[in-house]
């Protein structure tokens, strides 16, 4: 029996942090399953949203019937006749992130994968939602509104349409005659609404120019201001972003906000419409594996800093500084020698999204390496007369518009078809392999990677620490050789207590090559080990060459859409 999902979502008492849900659906006699997703697309971690469900009851035409839980995410109901089945349940909502649901006195963020249930694995029926909110609250969502109801054509689109409601600060602009609405919750920050509007408009225009058209009729920027947290999550015609409310000034602090928004808006094409075949459709009840997350997130991470520069929203100096930071971060991860981009993508569910003390030694981020590798791949293609821009256009025309998924082993051939360039060796070394990255390709656009001269070199022990507590011990480091372990508390170096109770501050007082005695507290017992401090890993810097050729200047402009300047990364 085909019938719409009828939901009533009650958040009229948001301070209680509980969402009251009523679901009604016409059913025939039989056994009926109702399931809630355990993860949300774009964030590859099983979050077990059903753990927040309580007080679940069922009725058929107003008469109570029994319900029993079959699995952690699924409840079963048996009916003996046709009728209107009603589920009522409560959901605790106090997780402030872009992937979950959160209620506060002044706003609510509802990610519907953590609120809605679906019937008998049916994701195709229409979804209609009546949202009950406090008086005077405004509501923003990618769903269409019909009277007092929010409407999605199917459950997948409902899951992909988060709701932001509350005392919202709002603004709007148009691109291609299509409305783009901005809604900001979480109190007043030190942002300029005019600058946010101008910056987002420029980013949308730049993304639209790359792909050729906007794939939606309306877009919602749902922005939550926080004290410290940040992040974003893409949706089909909206995104949810979180950004520290006082990080818009000085102006350079706002650059990361615009990179974040460029990232999520870029996903409107790549991820939401150009996606792995494995995601068509999503399986909301268990992990969905792909080796293509480096494309989905790595390519987007490359463009999220490039697009704002092309759009004149952020300066070239910030872009070069960001590339420098990312390369240094990547080069100091031991796991880069053990984990390829494809492996990092496949292992996202247990690697990137479940980091532990040993993660840096055996994994690395497909966001981080994926962004750097895409930059180098773009240089490789540009040197031979094409570009990643051409690849993205090809993907949109031949995959996104045609609703065709990318097969697991297809990306290399896609680039060949889009550009006429064989990238087999590049893929083998840098995507399926763990070779040193070919940074010399940057020279094509007049950039060079040089070792940065440090005024002061701090001897390397090879630990990551919080204060004097060891969090990670990096493989093949002095700490690793000495037998230090995560959880150790370092009490003294050569019998001298730590300066400011911090390991790094104290290491400054020793020499490279010096053997030191380390006093540690482990499981309540004092131990002493010895380690020989070594040369710190080189700090690298991406810089423009001092005397570029005309060919490099032209290649630079074609790439970054900015005239050549003798710029250095900002401090």
């Amino acid at each position: 029996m085909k019938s719409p999902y009828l939901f009533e979502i009650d958040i009229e008492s948001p301070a209680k942090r509980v969402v009251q849900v009523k679901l009604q659906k016409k059913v025939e006699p039989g056994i009926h399953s109702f399931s809630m997703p355990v993860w949300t697309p774009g964030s590859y971690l099983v979050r077990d949203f059903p753990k927040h469900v309580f007080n679940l009851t069922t009725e058929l035409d107003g008469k109570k019937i029994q319900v029993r839980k079959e699995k952690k995410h699924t409840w079963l109901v048996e009916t003996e006749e046709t009728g209107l089945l009603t589920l009522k349940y409560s959901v605790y909502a106090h997780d402030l992130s872009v992937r979950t649901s959160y209620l506060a006195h002044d706003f609510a963020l509802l990610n519907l994968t953590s609120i809605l249930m679906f019937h008998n694995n049916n994701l195709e029926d229409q979804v209609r939602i009546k949202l009950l909110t406090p008086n005077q609250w405004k509501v923003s969502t990618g769903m269409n509104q019909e009277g007092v109801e929010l409407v999605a054509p199917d459950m997948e689109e409902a899951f992909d349409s988060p709701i932001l409601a509350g005392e919202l600060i709002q603004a709007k602009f148009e691109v291609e005659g299509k409305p783009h609405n901005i809604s900001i919750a979480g109190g007043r920050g030190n942002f300029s609404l005019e600058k946010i509007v101008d910056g987002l408009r420029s980013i949308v225009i730049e993304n639209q120019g790359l792909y050729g058209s906007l794939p939606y009729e309306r877009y919602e920027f749902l922005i939550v201001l926080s004290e410290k947290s940040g992040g974003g999550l893409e949706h089909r015609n909206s995104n949810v972003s979180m950004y520290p409310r006082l990080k818009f000034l000085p102006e350079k602090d706002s650059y990361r906000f615009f990179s974040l928004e460029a990232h999520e808006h870029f996903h409107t094409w790549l991820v939401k419409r150009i996606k792995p075949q494995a995601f068509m459709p999503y399986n909301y009840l268990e992990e969905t594996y792909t080796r293509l997350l480096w494309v989905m997130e790595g390519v987007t991470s490359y463009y999220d800093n490039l697009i704002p520069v092309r759009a004149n929203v952020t300066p070239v100096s910030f872009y070069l500084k960001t590339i420098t930071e990312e390369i240094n971060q990547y080069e100091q991860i031991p796991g880069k020698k053990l984990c390829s981009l494809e492996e990092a993508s496949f292992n996202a569910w247990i690697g990137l999204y479940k980091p532990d003390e040993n993660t840096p030694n055996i994994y690395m981020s497909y966001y981080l390496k994926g962004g750097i590798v895409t930059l180098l791949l773009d240089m490789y293609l540009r040197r031979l007369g094409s570009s990643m821009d051409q690849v993205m256009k090809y993907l949109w025309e031949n995959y996104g518009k045609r609703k065709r998924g990318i097969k697991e082993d297809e990306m290399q051939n896609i680039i060949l078809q889009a550009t006429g360039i064989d990238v087999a060796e590049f893929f083998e070394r840098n995507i399926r392999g763990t070779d040193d990255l070919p940074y010399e390709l940057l020279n094509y656009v007049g950039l060079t990677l040089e070792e940065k001269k440090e005024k002061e070199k701090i001897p390397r022990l090879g630990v990551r620490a919080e204060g004097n507590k060891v969090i990670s011990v990096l493989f093949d480091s002095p700490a690793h050789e000495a037998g230090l372990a995560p959880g150790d508390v370092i009490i003294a170096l050569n019998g001298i207590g730590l300066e400011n109770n911090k390991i790094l501050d104290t290491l400054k007082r020793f020499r490279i090559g010096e053997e030191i005695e380390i006093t540690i507290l482990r499981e309540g017992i004092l131990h002493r080990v010895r380690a020989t401090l070594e040369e710190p890993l080189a700090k690298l810097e991406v810089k423009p060459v001092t005397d570029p050729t005309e060919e490099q200047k032209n290649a630079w402009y074609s790439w970054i859409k900015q005239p050549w300047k003798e710029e250095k990364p900002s401090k």
Side-chain angles (χ1 to χ4, degrees):
M1 176 184 292
K2 192 172 181 65
S3 67
Y5 289 96
L6 304 176
F7 284 95
E8 181 181 271
I9 298 178
D10 184 350
I11 53 172
E12 288 186 301
S13 301
K16 293 181 179 179
R17 303 180 298 284
V18 175
V19 182
Q20 303 294 350
V21 184
K22 180 168 72 173
L23 162 58
Q24 293 185 310
K25 203 171 196 312
K26 291 181 181 178
V27 298
E28 296 177 335
I31 297 176
H32 305 274
S33 67
F34 288 87
S35 302
M36 178 179 282
V38 299
W39 69 287
T40 192
S43 180
Y44 306 101
L45 175 68
V46 172
R47 298 182 185 276
D48 287 329
F49 296 128
K51 70 184 177 182
H52 298 300
V53 174
F54 61 102
N55 287 341
L56 190 149
T57 61
T58 54
E59 300 174 357
L60 184 68
D61 291 332
K63 296 180 181 179
K64 286 191 175 182
I65 57 174
Q66 285 191 335
V67 58
R68 63 183 177 87
K69 198 167 187 178
E70 183 198 34
K71 298 178 180 178
K72 66 177 181 178
H73 48 61
T74 299
W75 290 258
L76 295 183
V77 180
E78 186 171 3
T79 62
E80 296 180 351
E81 55 191 44
T82 298
L84 184 65
L85 185 62
T86 300
L87 272 72
K88 295 180 182 179
Y89 56 93
S90 303
V91 180
Y92 184 71
H94 195 239
D95 188 350
L96 183 58
S97 84
V98 297
R99 313 160 199 90
T100 50
S101 292
Y102 178 81
L103 297 186
H105 69 282
D106 57 342
F107 78 93
L109 174 62
L110 303 179
N111 276 291
L112 296 183
T113 47
S114 66
I115 301 293
L116 305 185
M117 293 189 188
F118 55 99
H119 172 242
N120 286 354
N121 294 317
N122 176 7
L123 301 172
E124 297 175 358
D125 288 349
Q126 185 189 58
V127 178
R128 307 184 73 89
I129 298 174
K130 183 178 180 182
L131 182 66
L132 306 179
T133 68
N135 292 332
Q136 310 305 317
W137 272 25
K138 301 172 184 176
V139 176
S140 184
T141 179
M143 279 183 281
N144 291 323
Q145 187 162 352
E146 295 180 6
V148 297
E149 291 182 316
L150 302 173
V151 181
D154 54 47
M155 185 61 76
E156 288 219 82
E157 191 154 320
F159 284 154
D160 210 13
S161 301
I163 298 170
L164 184 64
E167 300 167 6
L168 307 179
I169 299 168
Q170 295 185 307
K172 60 183 178 180
F173 60 88
E174 289 190 356
V175 175
E176 275 188 9
K178 297 177 178 181
H180 293 69
N181 302 313
I182 302 168
S183 298
I184 304 174
R188 187 76 196 178
N190 62 353
F191 60 86
S192 161
L193 189 57
E194 181 181 2
K195 286 187 176 181
I196 286 180
V197 170
D198 289 345
L200 294 184
R201 181 194 293 113
S202 296
I203 286 168
V204 169
I205 290 171
E206 195 64 39
N207 278 337
Q208 179 269 342
L210 173 60
Y211 284 102
S213 61
L214 297 175
Y216 48 76
E217 294 304 313
R218 170 175 60 90
Y219 193 87
E220 303 287 332
F221 291 94
L222 310 179
I223 302 168
V224 177
L225 302 181
S226 66
E227 182 180 8
K228 295 179 180 178
S229 301
L233 191 63
E234 68 276 3
H235 298 279
R236 193 168 178 81
N237 67 335
S238 65
N239 83 68
V240 179
S241 61
M242 192 171 294
Y243 198 75
R245 62 176 58 87
L246 297 179
K247 281 288 188 178
F248 293 90
L249 289 175
E251 185 180 18
K252 65 180 181 179
D253 283 355
S254 71
Y255 299 158
R256 297 199 184 278
F257 168 78
F258 289 113
S259 291
L260 170 63
E261 294 297 340
H263 185 105
E264 304 309 333
H265 188 258
F266 197 87
H267 276 322
T268 307
W269 293 268
L270 185 62
V271 172
K272 299 317 298 181
R273 290 165 175 84
I274 305 165
K275 63 178 72 174
Q277 194 176 72
F279 289 172
M280 301 177 75
Y282 291 108
N283 182 343
Y284 293 93
L285 301 182
E286 63 183 29
E287 297 93 332
T288 302
Y289 294 96
T290 177
R291 289 178 168 80
L292 291 171
L293 289 182
W294 74 267
V295 179
M296 302 300 112
E297 295 296 350
V299 172
T300 304
S301 294
Y302 166 56
Y303 276 102
D304 67 19
N305 287 308
L306 182 61
I307 289 293
V309 176
R310 289 178 172 179
N312 287 306
V313 175
T314 59
V316 170
S317 58
F318 173 72
Y319 182 55
L320 297 184
K321 177 176 181 289
T322 302
I323 296 172
T324 293
E325 290 172 349
E326 290 175 348
I327 289 174
N328 278 301
Q329 183 183 349
Y330 170 73
E331 288 297 330
Q332 296 192 32
I333 298 172
K336 72 181 188 292
K337 287 295 185 183
L338 298 177
C339 182
S340 72
L341 267 177
E342 288 191 345
E343 290 169 333
S345 299
F346 192 84
N347 286 317
W349 300 88
I350 58 172
L352 181 68
Y353 281 88
K354 280 190 174 180
D356 62 23
E357 62 193 41
N358 199 44
T359 295
N361 290 317
I362 60 173
Y363 294 116
M364 55 78 207
S365 166
Y366 52 82
Y367 283 83
L368 179 63
K369 184 178 181 179
I372 298 169
V373 166
T374 305
L375 165 64
L376 298 175
L377 177 58
D378 198 8
M379 297 301 104
Y380 184 87
L381 297 174
R382 286 177 180 276
R383 188 183 61 174
L384 297 174
S386 191
S387 68
M388 278 303 296
D389 291 356
Q390 188 62 37
V391 175
M392 302 319 295
K393 288 180 172 71
Y394 181 90
L395 280 168
W396 175 232
E397 292 296 328
N398 293 277
Y399 288 79
K401 283 186 176 181
R402 298 182 184 183
K403 298 182 179 180
R404 175 184 171 193
I406 304 173
K407 297 177 183 177
E408 289 297 289
D409 58 353
E410 198 176 11
M411 194 62 198
Q412 180 181 313
N413 188 59
I414 285 172
I415 295 175
L416 176 62
Q417 294 300 316
T419 68
I421 299 171
D422 185 352
V423 291
E425 184 179 357
F426 187 97
F427 265 59
E428 196 60 36
R429 289 177 176 273
N430 305 302
I431 292 164
R432 290 188 284 270
T434 58
D435 287 13
D436 291 341
L437 296 183
Y439 296 117
E440 65 276 6
L441 290 169
L442 294 171
N443 190 254
Y444 177 70
V445 293
L447 295 176
T448 182
L449 184 66
E450 299 177 357
E451 185 172 342
K452 189 175 182 179
K453 293 181 179 179
E454 298 283 343
K455 293 181 181 178
E456 178 185 34
K457 285 190 175 182
I458 302 173
R460 178 174 184 258
L461 180 59
V463 298
R464 294 181 177 179
E466 291 179 359
N468 66 339
K469 184 176 181 180
V470 176
I471 303 303
S472 293
V473 176
L474 303 182
F475 282 0
D476 301 323
S477 68
H480 189 223
E481 294 298 321
L484 288 178
D488 288 348
V489 177
I490 296 181
I491 305 298
L493 302 180
N494 278 355
I496 301 171
L498 298 191
E499 193 170 327
N500 301 319
N501 210 34
K502 294 181 179 178
I503 298 170
L504 197 62
D505 287 356
T506 309
L507 284 174
K508 295 177 182 178
R509 310 304 176 193
F510 295 90
R511 297 179 180 86
I512 295 168
E514 184 175 352
E515 185 182 64
I516 61 172
E517 180 185 77
I518 306 172
T519 305
I520 61 172
L521 184 66
R522 178 184 295 169
E523 293 293 327
I525 299 174
L526 286 174
H527 299 270
R528 290 178 177 83
V529 298
R530 302 192 71 80
T532 301
L533 302 177
E534 66 181 20
E535 184 93 11
L537 299 178
K539 292 288 183 66
L540 305 171
E541 184 176 20
V542 177
K543 300 170 64 174
V545 298
T546 54
D547 189 18
T549 65
E550 286 303 312
E551 183 182 12
Q552 286 174 317
K553 289 182 179 180
N554 291 336
W556 167 273
Y557 184 81
S558 176
W559 167 54
I560 211 164
K561 308 296 188 291
Q562 297 291 338
W564 177 272
K565 286 184 182 179
E566 295 291 341
E567 290 210 59
K568 294 182 180 180
S570 58
K571 295 181 180 179

